[in-house]
Amino acid sequence: MRPAGRDAEGRVPATPSIEELRTIAREIRRLVLTSVHHAGAGHLGGPLSAADMLAALYFHFLRLDPARPDWPDRDHFILSKGHSAIGLYATLALRGYVPVDELRTFDAIGSRLQGHPDMTATPGVDMSTGSLGQGLSPGVGMAIGAKLKGASFRTWVMLGDGEMQEGQVWEALEVAARYRLDNLIAVIDHNRLPQYTWPDFGQRGREFPVQNLAGKCAAFGWRVLACDGHDMDAIVRTFDGATRPDGRPTAVIAHTVKGKGVSFMEGAFAWHAKPLDDEALTRALEEIDAQTGLSAPPAGASR
Amino acid sequence: MTVPTMIAQREVFGRTLVELADADPRLLVLDGDLANSTKADIFAEAHPDRFLAMGIAEQNMAGVAAGLATLGFVPWISTFAAFAVKRDLDQVRVVIAQPSLNVKIAGAYSGLLTGFTGKTHQSVEDIAVMRAMPNMVVLAPADGPETHAAMVAAHAHGGPVYLRLARDPSPRIFDDGLAFVIGRGIVLREGRDIAIISTGVHTARAAEACDLLAADGLRPYHLHLPTIKPLDEDAVVRAAERTGAVLVTEEHTVIGGLGGAVAEALGQRRPTLLRLHGIRDVFGESGPNDAILAKYGLTPRHIAEEARLLLGQPRP
Ligand SMILES: Cc1ncc(C[n+]2csc(CCOP(=O)(O)OP(=O)(O)O)c2C)c(N)n1
């Protein structure tokens, strides 16, 4: 059986339909759950919140060739929220970079699939991440480098809204705007929950690591787009807009739900990272499999 | 006695960047808003299109360099050593050292002589920090010609390099065109009574100390180690075997720097009477160079005195 989304030649896939992308996202979620269950450790909330966007990126937007992970003209992708590594690995496996079976080695000693993305270990990983707030800067370097080389590839960076608290991100936003990096796209997974969150400061509540992300990114000179990060139609439309350059770097603020797809994980910071026992895995997979693919917009998402 | 020619490493740094870039289109320079101090401005004028201003944002600068390196560029990060090493330490660790990317980190204004700027701008622990970092090569050339040669070698090396440079003119020790081999020490003086081991521009002070000792009828051996990592352990062991007493002296804290590296090597390969001389686990302060060197005990006279103290110790 060839992995979903790949054409018979196994190279650049026929562009899948929206419905196929939804199926791929569901498959990513399944693999995240089964891999974390098998490893006995790992992050769940972040990978589940990013799954739909990873599906759209790797099966629709990124120009790449799994047979040549180092192809210089490939679109580059950096998972700045590196703790969501298993989401990326599941996607890379479905896309043909590593065997799907290899996901069972996630976090095992000697594995190519390290706890956080390691560009020296995994084919298809363009930058090592895991210390939050660091991924956008190498993305800026890749985007500057593409311009210096006259290369046409784009660089995509996925960030968590929690890691937007790191000062380095704002350094990178500033420099990216100054260099007019219209070949750089930051996707912000705005699930409003980091790991432990803030104490309840009343008005601000426990969540929302950084207030007014859209306004702040715009003030730093970025074009800002927003979408529901679980609505595949909206993701494809918005990412498509992001690839039409207007002289500025683009931030896509994707409104998401942490733990999306598994009711008892959704919006629950306790499921940020937690081993998954047999019973919880069974319940979670039942829920994923029951989904029709038509995902509801997250509660409170501004459209 | 002839007066030595004085050369500032930073001038050589700027000129050598231009020379390297002329020969290699992969070279880029990233500057943390200090080009007119570090002399990266010489490069900025020669190659404006390959000079990337990164502003006062060192963490981002390190990350941008990493991204560029993945595309096959050879980025040179240029800022003060104090900031190049510590302000972006986690970035250097995660996106440069861990993936072993081909990024050169040039730390200008290392040590205590930073031009009246005091402890915030001095760098007394950079060798210790960078030496502890897997995959990182650590270089500290002694003078202008060796800075040029070290930069050529650093550029040719395929992985991350930290280059420790000084601000002010220091005495020429080497001739132009010397060969620089990463990981190889240089014996500057043969002798049997005591070995003095030094690095960086401080080597010139150690050489003067050797003259003082020789004037007293002693025969010091002087080993200069412009590569702190990978350490030339064989050269260190040889120095110990020749003399039976080793004094390490450096413009760096006595903890974890060249002295630490030599102690690790000798402790394991050839336990030897050893004395570590340098900045004594304190931060510095601002002041004229002479006054700083005198107060922190780093003049040739201080080094010679340390040597005599060591020689006065009973040998095991
Ligand atoms: C510099 C740094 N500090 C802390 C952590 C530990 N950590 C891992 S994930 C996480 C929360 C991340 O939240 P967010 O960026 O919003 O990601 P998501 O909600 O999508 O998982 C924290 C604090 C880290 N990996 N790096």
Side-chain angles (χ1 to χ4, degrees):
Chain A
M1 194 193 83
R2 70 188 153 89
R6 287 184 67 180
D7 66 11
E9 282 72 45
R11 296 283 166 89
V12 185
T15 302
S17 67
I18 297 288
E19 195 44 49
E20 283 166 334
L21 288 174
R22 289 192 184 111
T23 307
I24 293 164
R26 272 206 301 283
E27 191 56 27
I28 293 171
R29 289 196 164 90
R30 286 191 114 262
L31 290 172
V32 165
L33 292 161
T34 53
S35 303
V36 169
H37 170 260
H38 187 263
H43 290 78
L44 289 163
L48 292 174
S49 111
D52 301 291
M53 298 180 286
L54 288 169
L57 284 169
Y58 274 87
F59 289 85
H60 185 73
F61 284 98
L62 297 183
R63 178 174 72 190
L64 44 78
D65 179 359
R68 290 183 295 159
D70 297 329
W71 177 36
D73 281 330
R74 72 191 182 279
D75 283 339
H76 286 56
F77 177 77
I78 300 173
L79 184 67
S80 188
K81 42 172 267 180
H83 58 278
S84 299
I86 188 59
L88 177 60
Y89 299 153
T91 310
L92 289 173
L94 290 172
R95 194 69 174 76
Y97 283 89
V98 294
V100 172
D101 281 351
E102 195 171 333
L103 293 172
R104 293 175 75 79
T105 72
F106 172 53
D107 258 347
I109 201 81
S111 171
R112 297 197 291 176
L113 308 178
Q114 291 289 296
H116 289 84
D118 180 345
M119 63 180 288
T120 68
T122 315
V125 169
D126 290 333
M127 180 49 59
S128 298
T129 53
S131 179
L132 289 169
Q134 294 201 26
L136 188 56
S137 300
V140 170
M142 291 170 186
I144 290 176
K147 290 200 179 273
L148 287 172
K149 290 185 152 189
S152 63
F153 69 80
R154 292 192 187 87
T155 301
W156 296 72
V157 181
M158 183 182 284
L159 299 110
D161 54 356
E163 71 169 318
M164 298 292 289
Q165 292 166 103
E166 289 283 1
Q168 185 189 351
V169 177
W170 303 92
E171 296 181 2
L173 286 165
E174 176 66 31
V175 170
R178 196 168 279 271
Y179 278 83
R180 297 191 187 87
L181 301 178
D182 55 4
N183 53 354
L184 177 66
I185 301 164
V187 176
I188 303 171
D189 184 352
H190 194 13
N191 59 32
R192 297 172 294 155
L193 283 173
Q195 175 163 332
Y196 182 60
T197 81
W198 290 84
D200 190 344
F201 288 143
Q203 203 193 347
R204 286 197 166 191
R206 277 186 76 89
E207 25 175 68
F208 275 101
V210 177
Q211 303 272 313
N212 188 17
L213 274 178
K216 285 175 180 160
C217 291
F220 274 70
W222 283 53
R223 170 172 62 166
V224 180
L225 307 176
C227 67
D228 174 346
H230 301 307
D231 176 341
M232 196 57 80
D233 246 330
I235 293 170
V236 169
R237 227 179 314 115
T238 310
F239 284 10
D240 189 56
T243 59
R244 295 169 201 280
D246 82 335
R248 293 175 292 173
T250 300
V252 176
I253 299 183
H255 295 278
T256 53
V257 173
K258 194 148 174 167
K260 176 71 181 177
V262 180
S263 60
F264 54 92
M265 295 181 186
E266 288 188 2
F269 73 86
W271 282 100
H272 168 76
K274 196 165 143 167
L276 199 57
D277 62 23
D278 296 349
E279 195 247 298
L281 175 69
T282 309
R283 276 171 60 208
L285 290 179
E286 276 168 14
E287 287 195 21
I288 299 289
D289 291 342
Q291 278 154 30
T292 60
L294 291 170
S295 61
S302 55
R303 302 291 290 276
Chain B
M1 208 180 112
T2 53
V3 181
T5 328
M6 302 292 278
I7 311 170
Q9 288 188 331
R10 55 177 170 158
E11 298 283 348
V12 177
F13 171 68
R15 288 202 305 269
T16 307
L17 284 176
V18 175
E19 182 192 312
L20 289 169
D22 287 342
D24 184 353
R26 300 173 308 156
L27 187 146
L28 302 172
V29 174
L30 280 66
D31 168 45
D33 195 38
L34 283 170
N36 48 353
S37 294
T38 61
K39 292 296 159 203
D41 58 356
I42 299 171
F43 179 89
E45 274 159 41
H47 289 288
D49 46 331
R50 288 155 74 185
F51 174 83
L52 301 175
M54 285 290 120
I56 311 161
E58 296 76 13
Q59 302 176 40
N60 178 60
M61 176 159 67
V64 172
L68 287 163
T70 67
L71 304 187
F73 290 103
V74 185
W76 281 71
I77 292 176
S78 173
T79 178
F80 290 160
F83 310 135
V85 176
K86 277 99 42 177
R87 189 63 192 247
D88 54 7
L89 182 56
D90 194 45
Q91 286 72 18
V92 169
R93 180 181 69 99
V94 173
V95 299
I96 295 176
Q98 288 183 351
S100 201
L101 286 173
N102 196 7
V103 175
K104 316 303 167 190
I105 303 167
Y109 290 43
S110 65
L112 291 178
L113 309 186
T114 56
F116 300 92
T117 45
K119 64 181 77 165
T120 52
H121 286 53
Q122 292 162 336
S123 189
V124 304
E125 69 296 79
D126 53 318
I127 293 176
V129 172
M130 288 310 230
R131 191 169 78 79
M133 190 82 70
N135 294 333
M136 187 67 69
V137 165
V138 180
L139 306 180
D143 66 354
E146 196 175 33
T147 296
H148 176 272
M151 287 177 70
V152 172
H155 191 71
H157 176 73
V161 176
Y162 172 61
L163 179 68
R164 183 181 217 241
L165 298 173
R167 173 184 188 271
D168 290 322
S170 60
R172 170 199 279 274
I173 293 175
F174 297 105
D175 292 332
D176 288 333
L178 80 152
F180 190 100
V181 180
I182 290 175
R184 195 158 84 194
I186 298 167
V187 178
L188 293 177
R189 187 174 191 130
E190 293 281 356
R192 300 212 69 90
D193 297 330
I194 183 172
I196 296 184
I197 302 182
S198 61
T199 190
V201 291
H202 191 64
T203 281
R205 291 174 215 131
E208 250 188 82
C210 289
D211 290 340
L212 294 175
L213 293 169
D216 282 359
L218 289 164
R219 293 161 304 166
Y221 181 103
H222 186 189
L223 173 64
H224 166 59
L225 293 178
T227 306
I228 293 130
K229 187 184 168 187
L231 190 75
D232 189 346
E233 288 193 11
D234 291 345
V236 170
V237 168
R238 231 175 291 125
E241 282 168 355
R242 298 273 296 191
T243 61
V246 172
L247 172 71
V248 184
T249 181
E250 61 192 313
E251 189 186 330
H252 181 276
T253 175
V254 288
I255 297 173
L258 177 67
V262 168
E264 289 159 15
L266 289 182
Q268 295 176 90
R269 286 188 52 184
R270 195 185 195 286
T272 304
L273 188 64
L274 177 68
R275 193 171 174 90
L276 305 186
H277 172 238
I279 301 162
R280 294 186 185 83
D281 195 21
V282 291
F283 290 112
E285 64 187 284
S286 51
N289 288 356
D290 289 351
I292 289 177
L293 291 177
K295 177 163 177 180
Y296 291 86
L298 296 171
T299 68
R301 275 187 192 290
H302 287 99
I303 301 168
E305 190 49 38
E306 292 286 328
R308 288 187 194 100
L309 285 172
L310 179 63
L311 285 171
Q313 272 176 251
R315 310 232 167 168

